[in-house]
C-alpha cells in the first residue's frame, strides 16, 4: 500500500513531507519521492529503496518550496525503479497515487494514439497525462482533474499539483484512503493519520467519490461532479503508536478488518463480466490445455491456502492438483515433466523452502508460477521468466500470523481456477458469470462476519483458559480447520489440532471430554449433514461445541453450545468466510491471555532459512 503526503503553507515543504512519509514506513514500500513547486517550476527527487536513499538524494540536491507532494510506493504496475517511483510529472502537472487504475491499458492506448509518450510503466502516469491534456487547452486545474476522473475506473487516492496554479493541491478518492489535516495558514493531505499527527489533530476523512481542493487558507470538499459536501472534521487523540495501527490494538486486528478492502483490491481489474473472463496480468501460462497436472508448493498458512486451492482448481478447471509442503517437495524426488505446472504460494515471496521448491521444479522442466503478495520478491522473480506471478493486493502484512494475505490468496486461487476453467473449456460462460458474481459478494459478506465481533469475544472469554482445542471441518473447510488451529497455536500458545471431521473417529475422539472445546465448521453444502453427525459425536461425549454455520440454519443451535453464522455463498467460496471467525476467536483468546499477538515467541514473519 502506497503512502501519500502533501503540504501547502508557508514553511519548507520537503522536510514535512519526508517526515510524514517516514511515519508511514511501517506499511512497507519499495521506492519514494517528492515533488515541490516553486517560482512556477516543479522539481522532483526520487529514489529506489528505503527513505534514507531519498534523504541522501535530497541532501546532495536539496529542493525548496512551500507546496509539495510525496509518496512511498508499493509497486503494483511496473517494477520498483526510479522511473516508476512517484511523483509522476507531465507538462507541469504532478501526481501521486495509491490504488489501481483498472482501465489503464485502454486509457494508455488512447493517449499513445494522441501522440503522448510515457516515461514510466505505471498506471499513475496516465492520470498526469489526462489532466495535462486538459490544462494544455487552457482548462483550469479543478475542471481538468474532474474531466480526468470521469475517464478513470478503479481504486484511487490521487494527490495532484500544478506549477501553473501553485496555490492549491487537489485530492480525489475512490476505495483508497485519504485524510486531510487542518492547520493555521497551512493544510495537509495524507493517506493515513500517522503522517500528520505531529502537525495537527484535526482531520477529515474523504469519502469515496469525493474530491477536495486544499489551499493555504482552507479546504473545499465536493463530489467529483462538483456538488459541495460539508467537511466532517474529527479531532483525533491517538498516540503515534495507536495511529500506526489505525486505532486498533494490534496490527493483526487491523489486518483482519482490512480483509474486505484487500479482497476487493485483489479482484479489481481482473474480472470481465460480459464474457466471464479472468484477466491475469503478469501471468504467461501459455497453452493451459497442455497442462495435465498441477503441484502447489507452500508453507504455513500459504500451504493451507493451497489445500483449499486444490478444491477450487479441481472443482472448476478439472485439473488434478497435488499440494505439497514446500520443505518436503524437493526431497521426495517428485515426478515432474513439461506438462506439470508448479504453483508456489507465498505472502512474502522469500520463504526459503518455497523458493527452493520452485527452483527444483524449474530444473526438472516444469512451468513455475506464483501467487504472491510482495512485488519483485525472490519467488516472484524466479517465476517471472517462467509462468509468471499473480499478485494478491493485500498490502503489507505486519502481524506475524497471516490473515488478509490468506484470504486474498484464496481469492487469487479462485480467480485462477475460473481462468483455467474458461481456457480449458471446462467452465461454461453462464456458470463462470455466476461464480464471479458470488466472488464479488465476498467483501460485503466479510463485513457481516466482522460485525459479529462482540459474540466472538464472548466465546473467547468462555474458553481462553482451555489447554487444548480441536478444530473440525470437511471438504474445502477441512483446510480451514487446520488454519483455525494454526492461528490459535501461533498467537495464544494453546495446543490445537485441526482434523477432518470424518477422520476424527479414528483418533482424536479419544481426547474428547467436557474440558475440550471443539470448533466445527458445518456450513450448508455437500458436507453439511455428514459434518453435523460428526459434531454430534463430540456432543455425545460432553465436548464443548462452537459451530460455524450458515445464516438461516435454525437447527444447528440444538447441537452447539455456541453458534457463529456466516452468509451463504458458493461452497468453494465458503472457506473465505468461515476462516474469519477463526481468526477473531484466536485473536481474542490471545489478547485475553496477554500474549504478544503481533510478534509471537519463536515465530518469524518470513522464514528465509531451510
Ligand atoms: C512463516 C509465517 C507464516 C507464513 C509462513 C509462510 O511461518 O509465520 O505466517 O504462513 O511463514 O510464509 P509465506 O511468506 O511464504 O507465505
Amino acid at each position: 500500500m502506497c503512502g501519500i503526503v502533501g503540504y501547502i503553507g508557508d514553511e519548507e515543504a520537503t522536510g514535512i513531507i519526508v517526515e510524514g512519509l517516514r511515519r508511514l514506513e511501517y506499511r512497507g514500500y519499495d521506492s519514494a519521492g517528492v515533488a515541490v513547486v516553486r517560482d512556477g517550476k516543479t522539481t522532483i527527487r526520487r529514489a529506489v529503496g528505503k527513505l534514507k536513499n531519498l534523504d541522501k538524494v535530497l541532501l546532495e540536491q536539496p529542493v525548496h518550496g512551500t507546496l509539495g507532494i510525496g509518496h512511498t510506493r508499493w509497486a503494483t504496475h511496473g517494477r520498483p525503479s526510479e522511473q516508476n517511483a512517484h511523483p509522476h510529472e507531465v507538462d507541469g502537472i504532478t501526481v501521486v497515487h495509491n490504488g489501481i487504475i483498472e482501465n489503464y491499458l485502454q486509457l494508455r492506448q488512447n493517449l499513445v494514439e494522441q501522440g503522448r509518450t510515457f516515461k514510466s510503466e505505471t498506471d499513475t502516469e496516465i492520470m498526469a497525462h489526462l489532466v495535462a491534456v486538459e490544462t494544455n487547452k487552457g482548462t483550469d486545474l479543478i475542471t481538468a482533474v474532474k474531466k480526468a476522473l470521469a475517464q478513470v475506473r478503479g481504486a484511487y487516492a490521487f494527490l495532484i499539483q500544478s506549477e501553473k496554479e501553485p496555490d492549491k493541491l487537489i485530492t480525489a478518492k475512490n476505495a483508497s484512503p485519504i485524510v486531510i489535516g487542518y492547520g493555521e495558514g497551512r493544510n495537509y493531505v495524507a493517506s493515513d493519520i500517522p503522517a500528520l499527527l505531529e502537525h495537527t489533530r484535526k482531520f477529515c476523512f474523504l469519502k469515496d467519490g469525493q474530491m477536495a481542493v486544499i489551499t493555504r487558507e482552507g479546504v473545499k470538499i465536493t463530489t467529483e461532479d462538483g456538488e459541495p459536501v460539508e467537511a466532517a472534521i474529527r479531532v483525533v487523540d491517538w498516540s503515534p503508536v495507536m495511529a500506526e495501527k489505525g486505532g486498533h490494538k494490534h496490527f493483526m486486528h487491523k489486518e483482519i478488518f482490512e480483509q474486505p478492502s484487500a479482497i476487493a483490491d485483489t479482484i479489481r481489474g481482473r474480472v470481465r463480466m460480459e464474457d466471464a473472463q479472468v484477466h491475469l496480468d503478469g501471468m504467461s501460462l501459455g497453452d493451459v490445455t497442455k497442462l495435465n497436472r498441477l503441484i502447489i508448493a507452500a508453507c504455513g498458512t500459504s500451504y493451507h491456502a493451497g489445500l483449499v486451492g486444490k478444491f477450487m482448481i479441481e472443482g472448476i478447471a478439472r485439473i488434478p492438483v497435488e499440494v505439497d509442503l514446500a520443505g518436503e517437495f524437493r526431497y521426495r524426488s517428485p515426478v515432474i515433466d513439461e506438462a506439470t505446472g508448479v504453483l508456489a504460494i507465498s505472502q512474502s515471496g522469500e520463504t526459503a523452502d518455497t523458493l527452493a521448491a520452485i527452483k527444483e521444479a524449474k530444473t526438472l522442466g516444469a512451468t513455475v508460477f506464483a501467487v504472491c503478495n510482495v512485488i519483485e520478491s525472490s519467488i516472484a522473480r524466479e517465476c517471472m521468466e517462467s509462468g509468471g506471478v499473480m499478485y494478491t493486493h493485500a498490502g503489507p502484512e505486519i502481524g506475524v500470523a497471516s490473515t488478509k494475505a490468506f484470504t486474498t490468496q484464496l481469492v487469487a486461487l479462485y480467480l485462477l481456477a475460473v481462468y483455467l476453467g474458461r481456457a480449458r473449456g471446462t467452465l461454461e460462460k453462464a456458470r463462470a458469470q455466476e461464480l464471479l458474481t458470488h466472488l464479488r459478494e465476498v467483501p460485503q459478506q466479510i463485513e457481516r462476519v466482522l460485525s459479529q465481533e462482540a459474540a466472538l469475544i464472548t466465546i473467547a472469554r468462555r474458553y481462553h483458559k482451555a489447554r487444548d482445542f480441536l478444530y473440525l471441518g470437511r471438504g474445502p473447510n477441512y483446510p480451514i480447520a487446520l488454519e483455525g488451529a494454526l492461528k490459535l497455536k501461533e498467537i495464544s500458545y494453546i495446543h490445537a489440532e485441526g482434523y477432518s471431521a470424518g477422520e476424527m473417529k479414528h483418533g482424536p475422539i479419544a481426547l474428547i471430554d467436557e474440558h475440550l472445546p471443539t470448533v466445527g465448521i458445518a456450513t450448508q453444502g455437500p458436507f453439511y449433514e455428514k459434518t453435523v453427525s460428526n459434531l454430534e459425536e463430540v456432543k455425545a461425549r460432553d465436548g464443548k461445541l462452537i459451530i460455524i454455520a450458515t445464516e438461516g440454519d435454525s437447527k444447528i443451535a440444538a447441537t452447539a453450545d455456541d453458534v457463529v453464522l456466516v452468509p451463504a455463498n458458493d461452497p468453494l467460496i465458503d472457506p473465505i468466510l468461515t476462516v474469519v471467525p477463526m481468526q477473531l476467536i484466536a485473536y481474542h483468546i490471545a489478547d485475553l491471555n496477554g500474549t504478544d499477538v503481533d510478534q509471537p515467541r519463536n515465530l518469524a514473519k518470513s522464514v528465509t532459512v531451510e
Side-chain angles (χ1 to χ4, degrees):
M1 266 200 305
C2 305
I4 288 178
V5 182
Y7 171 77
I8 181 162
D10 54 3
E11 297 164 281
E12 283 289 348
T14 321
I16 295 169
I17 292 168
V18 174
E19 269 319 301
L21 293 175
R22 211 178 303 287
R23 311 266 168 196
L24 301 178
E25 262 188 316
Y26 68 96
R27 297 149 56 111
Y29 57 93
D30 50 61
S31 50
V34 288
V36 173
V37 172
R38 187 188 193 176
D39 300 332
K41 202 175 156 306
T42 308
T43 312
I44 300 183
R45 300 280 183 260
R46 301 184 292 196
V48 173
K50 295 282 159 202
L51 266 178
K52 63 176 190 304
N53 300 353
L54 180 65
D55 286 337
K56 210 165 140 234
V57 174
L58 284 165
L59 201 67
E60 283 160 11
Q61 302 168 283
V63 284
H64 300 285
T66 57
L67 167 71
I69 59 181
H71 189 265
T72 45
R73 176 169 188 250
W74 169 271
T76 53
H77 281 94
R79 72 208 151 82
S81 68
E82 197 184 319
Q83 252 161 359
N84 287 337
H86 300 210
H88 293 284
E89 189 262 343
V90 176
D91 302 340
I93 303 292
T94 340
V95 177
V96 293
H97 164 223
N98 174 13
I100 299 167
I101 301 179
E102 279 175 34
N103 55 338
Y104 108 106
L105 281 175
Q106 177 70 53
L107 292 172
R108 189 177 169 115
Q109 199 184 325
N110 296 349
L111 289 160
V112 169
E113 279 163 16
Q114 290 169 39
R116 297 210 150 247
T117 51
F118 287 81
K119 290 178 265 188
S120 76
E121 301 155 334
T122 63
D123 52 348
T124 306
E125 197 185 342
I126 309 258
M127 185 63 181
H129 277 281
L130 292 174
V131 177
V133 166
E134 288 301 323
T135 51
N136 286 355
K137 293 186 213 156
T139 313
D140 66 276
L141 184 64
I142 299 175
T143 313
V145 170
K146 281 187 195 153
K147 288 195 166 172
L149 288 172
Q151 299 174 65
V152 167
R153 234 184 29 236
Y156 51 78
F158 288 118
L159 183 58
I160 302 163
Q161 64 187 11
S162 162
E163 55 190 30
K164 289 194 206 119
E165 297 184 41
D167 60 339
K168 60 175 76 76
L169 289 170
I170 299 186
T171 182
K173 161 191 158 53
N174 184 45
S176 299
I178 276 285
V179 59
I180 297 165
Y182 291 73
E184 293 289 328
R186 59 194 70 132
N187 288 303
Y188 311 83
V189 182
S191 49
D192 214 344
I193 284 188
L196 307 180
L197 267 185
E198 214 183 309
H199 306 288
T200 180
R201 299 267 155 175
K202 272 170 73 182
F203 296 102
C204 173
F205 293 87
L206 219 58
K207 296 208 173 88
D208 285 351
Q210 294 182 344
M211 60 183 283
V213 179
I214 297 125
T215 59
R216 291 176 172 81
E217 297 75 36
V219 178
K220 211 167 129 199
I221 303 177
T222 63
T223 63
E224 286 178 9
D225 304 326
E227 289 295 316
V229 174
E230 202 182 319
I233 298 176
R234 246 179 87 180
V235 177
V236 167
D237 57 1
W238 295 347
S239 67
V241 176
M242 266 170 85
E244 276 190 354
K245 295 174 187 155
H248 295 261
K249 189 169 173 190
H250 297 99
F251 281 111
M252 181 183 176
H253 193 259
K254 175 171 181 259
E255 287 157 5
I256 291 172
F257 278 79
E258 279 171 354
Q259 290 179 112
S261 62
I263 287 172
D265 286 347
T266 301
I267 301 171
R268 184 168 290 116
R270 287 178 163 151
V271 170
R272 211 168 54 209
M273 255 332 181
E274 315 82 85
D275 52 356
Q277 291 295 348
V278 169
H279 169 66
L280 296 183
D281 48 323
M283 285 279 212
S284 45
L285 290 177
D287 181 359
V288 293
T289 55
K290 298 212 172 96
L291 280 182
N292 62 17
R293 182 166 152 257
L294 271 183
I295 299 177
I296 297 178
C299 298
T301 289
S302 297
Y303 170 71
H304 295 155
L307 292 174
V308 180
K310 173 183 167 76
F311 283 89
M312 294 172 170
I313 296 168
E314 289 189 342
I316 296 173
R318 310 302 299 152
I319 306 176
V321 181
E322 289 164 43
V323 190
D324 249 308
L325 286 165
E328 298 291 333
F329 173 79
R330 72 193 176 116
Y331 299 106
R332 68 170 172 92
S333 182
V335 181
I336 281 178
D337 59 21
E338 272 137 34
T340 311
V342 177
L343 168 62
I345 305 177
S346 175
Q347 185 286 128
S348 62
E350 301 297 343
T351 302
D353 285 326
T354 312
L355 183 59
I358 50 164
K359 282 189 174 162
E360 171 80 2
K362 223 162 133 184
T363 315
L364 295 171
T367 302
V368 298
F369 56 116
V371 167
C372 186
N373 193 40
V374 180
I375 309 268
E376 292 273 318
S377 51
S378 304
I379 290 171
R381 273 184 277 128
E382 197 62 43
C383 292
M384 264 170 214
E385 316 127 30
S386 182
V389 188
M390 181 177 185
Y391 287 111
T392 45
H393 295 307
E397 191 178 64
I398 295 164
V400 164
S402 190
T403 52
K404 63 175 181 171
F406 178 70
T407 44
T408 54
Q409 284 167 348
L410 296 185
V411 167
L413 290 164
Y414 194 82
L415 288 169
L416 180 67
V418 173
Y419 169 84
L420 292 171
R422 295 293 284 142
R424 291 166 65 89
T426 52
L427 182 63
E428 293 294 325
K429 181 177 150 192
R431 178 74 186 131
Q433 279 169 333
E434 264 172 45
L435 297 182
L436 293 169
T437 306
H438 288 318
L439 188 66
R440 282 181 162 176
E441 289 162 6
V442 170
Q444 199 255 328
Q445 291 189 324
I446 291 190
E447 295 282 7
R448 283 209 328 249
V449 181
L450 293 173
S451 70
Q452 299 175 55
E453 187 178 28
L456 293 161
I457 295 174
T458 308
I459 294 172
R461 282 218 182 92
R462 197 166 301 150
Y463 297 112
H464 71 107
K465 293 288 177 213
R467 253 191 36 207
D468 307 276
F469 264 78
L470 185 61
Y471 284 75
L472 299 175
R474 287 187 89 133
N477 273 314
Y478 162 48
I480 300 304
L482 298 178
E483 176 60 10
L486 177 66
K487 283 286 87 81
L488 189 71
K489 274 186 276 206
E490 279 181 310
I491 59 173
S492 73
Y493 318 142
I494 294 174
H495 167 252
E497 213 169 325
Y499 239 79
S500 156
E503 183 69 9
M504 179 193 60
K505 55 187 169 295
H506 300 291
I509 200 163
L511 301 173
I512 293 169
D513 62 17
E514 70 278 19
H515 304 296
L516 183 79
T518 294
V519 184
I521 309 166
T523 41
Q524 293 299 321
F527 301 95
Y528 177 72
E529 268 152 28
K530 289 229 161 11
T531 310
V532 173
S533 322
N534 300 141
L535 296 177
E536 288 286 354
E537 292 160 12
V538 174
K539 191 177 153 74
R541 284 156 186 85
D542 294 331
K544 296 277 172 286
L545 264 179
I546 303 147
I547 301 187
I548 296 166
T550 307
E551 283 175 0
D553 185 342
S554 50
K555 286 186 291 180
I556 199 76
T559 310
D561 293 283
D562 294 279
V563 180
V564 184
L565 295 174
V566 301
N569 204 320
D570 182 79
L572 291 174
I573 289 178
D574 198 49
I576 314 176
L577 301 171
T578 55
V579 75
V580 177
M582 302 284 192
Q583 297 167 342
L584 278 173
I585 290 173
Y587 170 79
H588 284 293
I589 288 180
D591 187 36
L592 285 165
N593 291 345
T595 57
D596 188 348
V597 171
D598 282 332
Q599 286 180 324
R601 68 184 183 203
N602 306 340
L603 292 177
K605 183 72 191 151
S606 165
V607 183
T608 52
V609 289
E610 278 197 49

